[in-house]
Amino acid sequence: MALNDFFAGEIATELLKMLISISRKSLLCRASADQLITYIHELLPTIEEIKYSGVELPALRQSQLHRLSELLRSGVELSHKVLASSRWNVYRNLHLAKKMDKLEKTVSKFLLGPMQAHVMADVHHTRFEMAERFDRVDNSVRRLEQYFGNIKIGVGGGGWVEEAVRSVDENVVDGSSAVGLEFGKIKVREMIVGREDLWVVGISGIGGSGKTTLAREVCKDDQVRRYFRERILFLTVSQSPNVEQLRTKIWGYIMGNERLDSNYVVPQWVPQFECKSEAARTLIVLDDLWTFSVMEQLVCRIPGCKYLVVSRTKFQTVLNYEVELLSEEDALSLFCHHAFGQKSIPLGANENLVKQVVTECGRLPLALKVIGASLRDQPEMFWLSVKNRLSQGQSIGESHEINLIERMAISINYLPEKVKECFLDLCSFPEDKKIPLDVLINMWVEIHDIPETEAYAIVVELSNKNLLTLMKEPRAGGMYSSCFEISVTQHDILRNLAINLSNRDSINERRRLVMPKRENAIPKEWLRYKHKPFEAQIVSIHTGEMKDVDWCNMEFPKTEVLIINFTSTEYFLPLFINRMPNLRALIIINYSATYACLHNISVFKNLPNLRSLWLEKVSTPELSGTVLENLGKLFIVLCKINNRLVEKEVDLAKVFPNLFDLTLDHCDDLTQLPTSICGMNSLQNLSLTNCHNLTQLPLELGKLKSLEILRLYACPDLKTLPNSICEMMRLKYIDISQCVNLTCFPEEIGRLVSLEKIDMRECSMIRNVPKSALSLQSLRLVICDEELSGIWKEVEKAKPNVLIQVSEQHFDLDWLKE
């Protein structure tokens, strides 16, 4: 036996121990690590046979065994790094996963090549037949490949994102997000409960002091909820509010008609009717309100109705509670929660250094969260460097918000470059608006040339560092869930920080050209320098109605993302879109209460490199004569279709020849899909969600041979599925949840050999499962209501690997208030 034989066995044994440790530590990789332990156990006897067979291997084969030792040793080193990496450091974990992927490919290539052909041959001659040995190695290699496939992020990145969202929810549940606010909650509650003489009360404080958090804690208080009988409306006003839209929402909520027609005119004078019942009590929270004039337009004295105004300004006519800075004890507790995952300084930490950093954060909750999270799992020298840079600034006070921004900028500058750039990109979206995760991921993929997996990892990294907040609807988080159900929000101070850092270059050289708030026209600063090309990679516009004459000629030779936010019923698309030859992603969002009509849609014909298009709250433009050759993703959300998709002269397969992801969400006038969609051979993901008047699908839908995901969530008028979908051999997931009138599955559903998951919540009309379902060889999960779980018993009995998961019902219409 050569030394190489011995070392290969010892290293394999050490690697096995490391994998056991990973299994115990890493929640994310535990199941996969347990599988890999089994595979190593299977491979070890082979190595042992080589060691003790008594056969002296030739020099060439000794060198190959040495190569195996080196591979195993690199696996040990990589395992050490995995064990040393915190589960909070998702971005680093992604790169470790990539290294493991590379290692897997190297090991697989080696085992399938010279290792099998030579070293294993010697063992064969002494113990077993070659066929048996090769089968065993092949099985082990296939399982290794499966393991490394599992360790990668799955489709949609749901695992990491879901865990990040769950951690936010846990912070809310355990109260860590509301440290030091109990006294303030009591004071505000006293003002709004039982004080009939008060109809407007306020919460004020400097930016980042926890005003919004306090307001939300008040709204969750049991006594407050009982007093107002759960009638609480929380609205974000912002610096550039749509006052009429907010007035309509408030009036509709008070009158019990939350879906008032957008043309409804709210009366300026409200009759002073008597409140006849306690049930009429209503609490309206106006968060992030900036001026007294806007407040006057929004509040209206109605018996039983109270307003809680949250603002940085203390209005003289409003009884107000001013949020105080945290006490030293609460500040330390909040900081430790985000820096160490516990509420006190852990043993072994430098206590003096920790307290010095907390002091430099100025007892402001936002600064404590952001800076604390940026220091998590960092060495002491890193802490010392941050502390020294923090101490160089001025103290944070009511008149020094810019100093707060500069202090938090220190933590931003320590981010990896790509993560920092993604954080800065967030300033491109309007303040206080939810950003659908799909929009963000698509933008980052296009402008940073990163795969979706890395984009998801960056989202989680920024969430873990409290630089953004992930929000989700009750159904979100599954592996194939639509990311539209998960959205991103950001504190306005963090947005101001991103704008501040992005605007340090001259206007023509900025990487992001952003309108910080809604304007009535193009900013004068832009016009002043329009004679020179703008180098911006991202251009973000936020206006009211724009006409042809409101635009001017501007050059954007390097722009890859254009975000158009507006509030109006008519909108003329900017002429300079034609001067964006590199445009990859176009996002058009209307924030008015009615659908907007887009003009100058001919610009769509001159976008050869456009890959992603998001349309929201607009009337779908005319598509005939348009060809978007490279468009891969199309999202049509809350839009009026106007039969644009089913017109005879529109062949979707020709308009979008390379589309692989199509989403139609909340399109109420969509009654049927055009048959031309069946010719879209590249389509992999088709989502038709909340289309309440959709009655039928094309009979030949099964021609979509590349389709992997079919989501038909909340289409209540849909009664049947075409039998042809059973021809979709690549289909992995089908969602028919809340298709309440759907009566059955196609009889030949068993032909869907790749189908892994079926989501059929609230499908009470389906009373049985076809016999062919027993042939669903890839099926792993069925989600349904409790009363329907019984129809899957036969499948569950025949296939022990299939999980029948009973769902919890959710009835949540909060999105209507946004």
Side-chain angles (χ1 to χ4, degrees):
M1 179 187 71
L3 284 176
N4 281 337
D5 304 343
F6 177 79
F7 286 132
E10 293 303 308
I11 296 169
T13 304
E14 183 181 355
L15 177 58
L16 182 61
K17 293 178 181 178
M18 299 297 297
L19 287 169
I20 293 172
S21 298
I22 291 174
S23 173
R24 291 171 177 169
K25 176 188 174 183
S26 174
L27 179 62
L28 183 63
C29 299
R30 180 176 299 156
S32 299
D34 287 342
Q35 290 181 8
L36 188 55
I37 290 168
T38 302
Y39 308 154
I40 296 295
H41 272 304
E42 292 181 0
L43 288 172
L44 270 175
T46 301
I47 298 174
E48 293 297 306
E49 289 171 5
I50 297 173
K51 286 169 59 178
Y52 299 114
S53 63
V55 178
E56 187 68 26
L57 299 178
L60 175 60
R61 300 179 190 182
Q62 285 283 0
S63 67
Q64 291 164 349
L65 194 57
H66 175 71
R67 173 60 179 151
L68 174 62
S69 298
E70 291 300 314
L71 286 174
L72 294 174
R73 183 177 287 108
S74 65
V76 171
E77 293 174 356
L78 188 56
S79 296
H80 277 292
K81 293 178 181 179
V82 171
L83 286 171
S85 178
S86 167
R87 76 182 184 93
W88 297 93
N89 198 338
V90 176
Y91 193 67
R92 174 175 169 77
N93 290 338
L94 174 68
H95 289 285
L96 290 175
K98 289 181 178 179
K99 289 183 178 180
M100 294 194 77
D101 183 34
K102 183 178 180 181
L103 175 66
E104 178 268 331
K105 290 177 181 177
T106 306
V107 172
S108 176
K109 183 178 180 181
F110 181 82
L111 291 180
L112 291 172
M115 183 67 177
Q116 284 188 5
H118 298 290
V119 179
M120 296 301 175
D122 290 288
V123 179
H124 151 72
H125 288 305
T126 58
R127 297 293 301 274
F128 299 103
E129 294 183 358
M130 183 178 288
E132 179 182 352
R133 182 51 43 108
F134 280 160
D135 286 343
R136 187 163 138 196
V137 175
D138 284 342
N139 289 335
S140 297
V141 171
R142 279 195 292 270
R143 289 172 180 171
L144 282 169
E145 290 173 344
Q146 182 183 4
Y147 161 72
F148 283 106
N150 290 337
I151 204 169
K152 301 169 191 172
I153 306 173
V155 176
W160 281 352
V161 175
E162 184 177 13
E163 185 176 351
V165 174
R166 190 184 301 116
S167 69
V168 174
D169 295 339
E170 290 171 354
N171 286 342
V172 172
V173 172
D174 67 16
S176 58
S177 61
V179 172
L181 297 180
E182 188 61 34
F183 177 77
K185 186 170 74 170
I186 293 172
K187 288 296 183 181
V188 176
R189 185 175 61 201
E190 289 174 352
M191 291 192 291
I192 63 175
V193 174
R195 289 286 302 271
E196 298 298 336
D197 57 316
L198 298 176
W199 60 283
V200 182
V201 298
I203 297 175
S204 66
I206 63 176
S209 60
K211 302 183 298 297
T212 299
T213 304
L214 174 58
R216 292 193 181 277
E217 287 298 308
V218 169
C219 293
K220 292 189 296 184
D221 181 80
D222 290 338
Q223 186 177 343
V224 172
R225 295 176 74 89
R226 285 195 303 269
Y227 183 80
F228 290 101
R229 303 287 181 90
E230 305 286 339
R231 287 185 50 79
I232 300 174
L233 177 64
F234 197 106
L235 295 174
T236 302
V237 180
S238 79
Q239 289 189 71
S240 51
N242 184 332
V243 174
E244 288 306 313
Q245 191 177 75
L246 289 169
R247 281 170 54 83
T248 301
K249 286 184 178 181
I250 294 170
W251 183 248
Y253 192 83
I254 293 173
M255 300 301 294
N257 183 6
E258 297 181 49
R259 304 199 72 176
L260 279 179
D261 185 271
S262 56
N263 296 319
Y264 181 86
V265 178
V266 179
Q268 296 294 326
W269 176 82
V270 180
Q272 300 296 305
F273 55 83
E274 290 296 325
C275 179
K276 299 180 180 179
S277 169
E278 287 187 356
R281 289 177 180 163
T282 304
L283 176 64
I284 309 293
V285 181
L286 302 176
D287 185 40
D288 198 22
L289 193 147
W290 283 74
T291 65
F292 183 75
S293 61
V294 171
M295 186 190 77
E296 283 187 311
Q297 297 177 71
L298 295 178
V299 301
C300 184
R301 187 162 190 170
I302 299 174
C305 181
K306 292 192 177 183
Y307 294 84
L308 177 59
V309 176
V310 184
S311 176
R312 299 185 189 185
T313 304
K314 188 187 299 183
F315 301 120
Q316 296 299 321
T317 60
V318 176
L319 185 61
N320 182 80
Y321 171 77
E322 185 170 0
V323 177
E324 300 177 351
L325 298 179
L326 295 177
S327 67
E328 292 183 5
E329 181 181 354
D330 287 335
L332 180 62
S333 176
L334 182 62
F335 179 86
C336 287
H337 173 77
H338 292 280
F340 305 115
Q342 60 186 61
K343 294 186 177 181
S344 60
I345 301 175
L347 294 175
N350 187 327
E351 183 175 346
N352 289 333
L353 181 57
V354 173
K355 290 183 176 179
Q356 287 172 359
V357 174
V358 171
T359 300
E360 295 297 340
C361 292
R363 292 187 288 155
L364 273 173
L366 183 61
L368 292 162
K369 292 177 182 179
V370 171
I371 295 175
S374 72
L375 292 171
R376 189 164 189 146
D377 298 318
Q378 297 294 342
E380 186 171 318
M381 290 303 296
F382 186 92
W383 280 65
L384 189 60
S385 174
V386 171
K387 191 272 294 184
N388 290 337
R389 294 194 61 182
L390 287 171
S391 62
Q392 294 171 7
Q394 300 181 41
S395 61
I396 300 174
E398 188 169 357
S399 60
H400 293 105
E401 182 177 313
I402 189 64
N403 293 319
L404 171 60
I405 289 178
E406 289 176 353
R407 284 165 182 265
M408 290 193 295
I410 294 172
S411 64
I412 302 302
N413 290 330
Y414 280 107
L415 292 173
E417 187 62 28
K418 195 158 287 185
V419 178
K420 176 183 175 181
E421 290 298 317
C422 288
F423 166 77
L424 297 179
D425 292 340
L426 291 170
C427 74
S428 307
F429 297 91
E431 60 173 342
D432 300 322
K433 298 293 185 183
K434 290 181 179 179
I435 309 168
L437 189 56
D438 259 336
V439 171
L440 203 58
I441 294 298
N442 289 339
M443 184 176 79
W444 286 349
V445 166
E446 295 302 336
I447 64 177
H448 297 300
D449 296 321
I450 58 177
E452 285 192 356
T453 53
E454 187 168 349
Y456 282 111
I458 291 174
V459 167
V460 177
E461 179 82 353
L462 293 173
S463 175
N464 289 341
K465 294 188 181 301
N466 294 312
L467 295 172
L468 59 78
T469 301
L470 287 168
M471 305 178 68
K472 71 169 183 175
E473 301 299 329
R475 298 182 67 257
M479 186 175 184
Y480 301 111
S481 285
S482 167
C483 291
F484 184 63
E485 296 171 352
I486 302 176
S487 56
V488 169
T489 60
Q490 189 177 44
H491 195 286
D492 53 1
I493 286 184
L494 292 172
R495 181 174 181 269
N496 290 341
L497 166 61
I499 291 174
N500 181 286
L501 295 175
S502 295
N503 288 352
R504 293 185 176 181
D505 293 324
S506 63
I507 187 167
N508 289 90
E509 296 178 351
R510 291 174 188 169
R511 188 173 174 275
R512 302 163 193 84
L513 191 62
V514 176
M515 291 186 186
K517 60 181 181 180
R518 185 158 56 95
E519 306 278 0
N520 294 322
I522 298 176
K524 292 181 180 179
E525 187 182 20
W526 294 20
L527 296 176
R528 190 176 297 118
Y529 296 95
K530 67 178 183 178
H531 60 282
K532 294 175 58 179
F534 292 89
E535 303 294 313
Q537 190 178 18
I538 302 174
V539 176
S540 178
I541 298 169
H542 193 188
T543 67
E545 181 178 352
M546 295 291 282
K547 301 178 180 178
D548 184 5
V549 296
D550 296 323
W551 298 109
C552 64
N553 291 327
M554 304 171 76
E555 299 287 340
F556 297 94
K558 296 184 179 180
T559 297
E560 297 180 19
V561 175
L562 174 60
I563 304 172
I564 300 177
N565 306 285
F566 65 94
T567 306
S568 71
T569 57
E570 304 280 337
Y571 196 85
F572 192 92
L573 293 173
L575 299 168
F576 52 68
I577 292 182
N578 288 325
R579 295 180 176 85
M580 294 181 169
N582 294 307
L583 191 65
R584 296 185 180 187
L586 176 58
I587 301 159
I588 301 176
I589 300 178
N590 169 31
Y591 289 106
S592 71
T594 57
Y595 302 103
C597 181
L598 298 178
H599 301 282
N600 191 31
I601 59 174
S602 61
V603 296
F604 287 115
K605 298 180 180 180
N606 300 305
L607 301 174
N609 294 310
L610 191 67
R611 300 180 187 176
S612 176
L613 175 61
W614 182 286
L615 299 175
E616 183 169 340
K617 207 68 179 294
V618 299
S619 292
T620 306
E622 172 68 51
L623 296 175
S624 60
T626 302
V627 177
L628 293 172
E629 182 73 28
N630 292 308
L631 192 72
K633 294 187 176 184
L634 174 61
F635 302 87
I636 301 177
V637 180
L638 286 164
C639 288
K640 185 69 72 175
I641 301 299
N642 294 322
N643 292 321
R644 298 292 193 194
L645 301 181
V646 296
E647 294 173 344
K648 291 183 179 179
E649 61 270 22
V650 176
D651 185 340
L652 294 183
K654 293 182 179 179
V655 176
F656 310 113
N658 293 299
L659 196 73
F660 59 84
D661 192 336
L662 173 61
T663 294
L664 295 166
D665 183 71
H666 282 98
C667 297
D668 287 341
D669 67 333
L670 180 69
T671 59
Q672 60 180 328
L673 281 183
T675 56
S676 64
I677 198 174
C678 302
M680 302 177 72
N681 297 325
S682 57
L683 200 62
Q684 299 174 15
N685 185 350
L686 176 59
S687 294
L688 309 171
T689 56
N690 298 289
C691 296
H692 297 156
N693 293 305
L694 179 67
T695 58
Q696 61 181 359
L697 300 174
L699 294 177
E700 297 182 337
L701 194 67
K703 288 185 176 180
L704 299 175
K705 302 298 185 182
S706 299
L707 201 69
E708 297 181 1
I709 298 173
L710 177 60
R711 303 185 74 244
L712 303 171
Y713 169 68
C715 297
D717 279 0
L718 192 64
K719 296 181 180 179
T720 60
L721 298 176
N723 291 325
S724 64
I725 70 167
C726 300
E727 300 171 12
M728 298 177 175
M729 296 297 103
R730 296 185 182 181
L731 191 66
K732 295 181 179 180
Y733 171 51
I734 183 169
D735 182 359
I736 54 173
S737 298
Q738 293 191 22
C739 292
V740 294
N741 285 307
L742 198 62
T743 57
C744 63
F745 287 104
E747 283 298 320
E748 297 184 1
I749 190 175
R751 294 174 58 193
L752 298 174
V753 294
S754 300
L755 189 63
E756 299 175 11
K757 177 180 174 181
I758 300 174
D759 195 337
M760 53 176 295
R761 313 173 213 212
E762 300 181 50
C763 293
S764 57
M765 298 293 287
I766 297 179
R767 308 310 304 175
N768 57 72
V769 177
K771 292 289 185 182
S772 67
L774 293 170
S775 302
L776 292 170
Q777 60 190 48
S778 299
L779 188 64
R780 294 293 178 268
L781 177 63
V782 176
I783 305 176
C784 60
D785 298 334
E786 185 172 6
E787 60 268 25
L788 292 186
S789 60
I791 67 176
W792 289 96
K793 289 298 183 183
E794 188 174 347
V795 175
E796 187 178 27
K797 183 178 180 181
K799 296 179 172 295
N801 292 331
V802 175
L803 172 64
I804 310 301
Q805 179 179 315
V806 175
S807 67
E808 296 180 9
Q809 290 190 345
H810 294 277
F811 302 96
D812 190 349
L813 298 177
D814 286 346
W815 62 271
L816 291 171
K817 304 171 187 176
E818 297 300 328

